[in-house]
Structure formats: C-alpha cells, structure tokens
Amino acid sequence: MLLGYHTRVGELKSRVEVLRWDGSLQVLDQRLLPWEERWVSVESVSQAVALIQSLAVRGAPLLGLVAAYALALEAQRCPHLDHLEGQGAALAKARPTAVNLPRAVAKMLSLARQVPEEKRGPTLLAAAQQLHREETSACQRMAELGAGILAGPRLGVLTHCNTGVLATGGVGTALGVVRALHAQGRLAMLYAGETRPVLQGARLTVWEAQRDGIPVTLLPDGAAGSLLASGAVGAVVVGADRIAADGSVANKVGTYPLAVLAQRHGVPFVVVAPTSTLDPHCPTGSAIPIEHRQPEEVTHWQGKPWLPFEVTVYNPAFDVTPPELIMALVCERGVVTPVTQAGLAEFCS
Ligand code: MRU
C-alpha cells in the first residue's frame, strides 16, 4: 500500500553546512568533527575518491552529490569522454554499498555522452546542481511524510549513524524526520546510538543535533535493548544506503539488531531514504554488496592501538534488515507500508 499522509511542516533549516559550490567545490572534513571544522577544496576526482574512502565525506546521498560535482569539475578541466569514463569508473567503486554513488556517476556519464566536448563542463555542473536541489527537496518532503506517520503528541526517537545534513546536503533523512517532530513540538528526545566503530552517531549526530538545538541523549550501541525496554522510545528511525527490490535495507552496521529489538518491544521501525537509494536492479538483500573495512577501525583510535596483541577482526560497515521488520519506508514520493516488492515497484516505475 502506498500511503500519502501529509503533515504541513514549514521549511526546515539547519545551521550545519557540508558542501559548498562557489565555482570550486568545498566539503567539510567529517573525520575531524566535532573537534575541528575544516573545509577541504576538492580539485580532482582522485582527491574525491580518497575523501570518500577515508570517510571525510560519507552518507549515501552526499556520496552521490560529491561524485556528481567532482565529475563536473573534471569535465571542465578535461572533457574527453575516455577520460571522464575512466574517472567515473574510479568514483563509482570508491565505496560499494551506497547505490547513490554509482547512480550519480552513471547519470553524469550518460549526459556527458549526449553533448559535444565543449558543452560537457557546463552541462555536468548544471546536472550536479540539479541533483543537489532534488536531494534537498527530497529531504524536506521525507521529513514531512515521516513526521506524519508517527503518532502521538510527544515521542522519543532512537536513531543510528548520522543521517542529517552531513549525510545528505539537505536537512537529512531520518534526522530530517526528527527535525520535523522537533519543529512541531513533538520530539521528547532524540536518542543517538554512538555507532561503533567510527562513531558517526556520537561525533556527527550529537554535534548536528546540538548545533540545531535538538534535545539529544547519547548511548552506547549495546544500550539500545534496555532503552527500548524502558519504554522511552516511541519510534526507531534510520536511513539507508541501498534498498533492494524486495525491500531489504542496507544501512550502517547495527541497524539490523535495532530492527529486531524494535519488533521485540512493539516499537515502530521506520526507514527514511530518497528514491536515489532504491535499487530495483538488486533483487534481494543478499545481493547488496557489503563493504568490509580495515581492522584498525576496530583495534585503534586516532592511530593508537587499543590492544597490546593482534586479533582477527570482523568489520562490515553495513548490515541488511529484512523488509518484514520494517513498519514503513518513507521516500519523497510517499510511504510504503507494509514494505513489499509490489509496493516498492510503484516508486521505481
Ligand atoms: O559509512 P557511512 O557513514 O557512509 O554510513 C552512512 C549510513 O549508514 C547512513 O545511515 C546512510 O548513508 C543513510 S544517510 C542519509
């Protein structure tokens, strides 16, 4: 079923910025947050690839935006198609899980093939800016829709990872819904899981929430069970990196256990993601490529080891939540509930 709930929320705003284009591309280096706000000028695709792989920029929609702007920059410098195809291929595989990244690259390369060399620079820049506007307005719409399906005068919301401005360039996916509830005076508390191992929840979500005056409580990931059991949480709201055709959702590792816990405690589990995160070509959750990252993210902190011995490490960056654990999927086009292949197909048609 496709629901079209509508709640009016005024235009949501944030004091946080993550990406600037003023003739050159600047991104906020998220590795340094919350201690330091350092803007980095992106001069080339190879630099963008390094920033993406090191998590200086991260979050599914933002990866697509940075890739699009980086290719536009490259097209201004060297508009030969062979060159752009090679650069696009490097960008598309910089990280494997978020589909927004290869999708943005494919869109830009398809445009590049359609226009003569001298028009590639301006055409790709206009396309990157258009994508930026689309992701921004998708966030606003998802925030309205998501707040509209969450019942109750006031509720606590548990989230995972960072899904705000820092991840989207707009007001956020799950965090956009939190902003809308806050704007409506309905947010009792935002509970942010720290999100081991690189702490996107603790470092980024808490920073973003505090910047914007949103009440936030930080918890270790392992405390989610007792928090849900306490009754303080009215909804678990998360983002996504890729959604398969069957409704399986890949998101930051630790999302799947939250969905299991939410079901155990009868708390709605809601996924908020733009259509750019839907992948109709990926049939099931098991077909979603899951990034595994370096062991040092688990055994070290800021370059220093936590352990005096070596150990084998399991460090997937994402996990997959099956659709039957998801109460609703909120996209900018509407709300799918229950999350089924047929319901999702309506969005992709
Ligand atoms: O490894 P990251 O920080 O890029 O992972 C990000 C997430 O898992 C987010 O939840 C997801 O991209 C949705 S953000 C709108």
Side-chain angles (χ1 to χ4, degrees):
M1 183 178 28
L2 187 68
L3 297 178
Y5 290 112
H6 194 86
T7 343
R8 271 272 149 231
V9 179
E11 194 193 342
L12 297 165
K13 295 213 188 314
S14 170
R15 295 181 59 217
V16 177
E17 259 191 300
V18 70
L19 185 153
R20 294 176 184 155
W21 173 267
D22 54 7
S24 72
L25 177 62
Q26 315 254 322
V27 293
L28 187 61
D29 187 338
Q30 298 187 36
R31 292 167 299 189
L32 305 175
L33 291 174
W35 301 280
E36 188 185 339
E37 286 172 54
R38 188 188 298 168
W39 287 83
V40 180
S41 183
V42 185
E43 314 283 348
S44 66
V45 162
S46 55
Q47 188 191 356
V49 167
L51 290 167
I52 287 170
Q53 290 179 335
S54 64
L55 306 185
V57 291
R58 32 81 35 214
L62 188 72
L63 295 180
L65 287 181
V66 170
Y69 276 110
L71 271 175
L73 271 175
E74 204 70 42
Q76 287 175 354
R77 201 170 58 179
C78 174
H80 304 316
L81 204 47
D82 284 356
H83 173 73
L84 292 177
E85 302 266 11
Q87 298 289 299
L91 263 175
K93 61 175 198 248
R95 290 188 76 193
T97 303
V99 72
N100 309 60
L101 179 56
R103 170 167 287 151
V105 169
K107 192 172 180 172
M108 300 298 274
L109 290 180
S110 156
L111 273 175
R113 287 179 207 116
Q114 290 166 40
V115 293
E117 226 168 73
E118 68 278 7
K119 291 208 170 138
R120 282 194 189 124
T123 302
L124 266 56
L125 176 58
Q129 290 173 315
Q130 172 66 14
L131 182 65
H132 198 168
R133 283 190 291 274
E134 283 169 9
E135 292 291 11
T136 304
S137 63
C139 285
Q140 170 74 28
R141 182 73 185 128
M142 290 184 290
E144 291 171 2
L145 289 167
I149 62 165
L150 294 176
R154 265 169 89 73
L155 68 160
V157 173
L158 171 60
T159 194
H160 193 56
C161 196
N162 171 267
T163 62
V165 175
L166 294 172
T168 63
V171 288
T173 56
L175 210 54
V177 173
V178 169
R179 282 183 210 285
L181 290 169
H182 182 56
Q184 293 173 337
R186 293 205 294 135
L187 181 73
M189 179 59 69
L190 169 64
Y191 294 97
E194 61 178 349
T195 316
R196 283 284 294 148
V198 297
L199 303 176
Q200 290 95 328
R203 293 187 301 108
L204 307 179
T205 298
V206 170
W207 180 74
E208 232 189 282
Q210 290 187 344
R211 272 268 152 128
D212 287 333
I214 297 169
V216 60
T217 297
L218 174 66
L219 60 140
D221 297 329
S226 58
L227 180 70
L228 280 157
S230 78
V233 175
V236 180
V237 186
V238 299
D241 285 81
R242 190 186 295 238
I243 301 176
D246 71 346
S248 299
V249 167
N251 190 49
K252 177 54 55 190
V253 68
T255 300
Y256 170 48
L258 289 182
V260 174
L261 280 168
Q263 187 185 56
R264 171 73 179 81
H265 293 285
V267 169
F269 183 87
V270 176
V271 174
V272 187
T275 46
S276 57
T277 304
L278 303 181
D279 184 1
H281 305 295
C282 191
T284 60
S286 55
I288 299 176
I290 297 294
E291 176 183 12
H292 283 251
R293 294 184 61 85
Q294 57 274 32
E296 289 74 19
E297 283 185 353
V298 182
T299 56
H300 288 56
W301 177 244
Q302 297 192 322
K304 293 201 183 110
W306 287 19
L307 303 171
F309 44 77
E310 293 202 350
V311 63
T312 307
V313 169
Y314 174 65
N315 185 23
F318 302 95
D319 60 24
V320 176
T321 300
E324 59 272 19
L325 293 179
I326 303 168
M327 185 203 85
L329 168 62
V330 179
C331 287
E332 73 275 22
R333 294 190 196 165
V335 179
V336 184
T337 181
V339 180
T340 60
Q341 183 130 9
L344 268 176
E346 280 190 53
F347 279 169
C348 301
S349 58

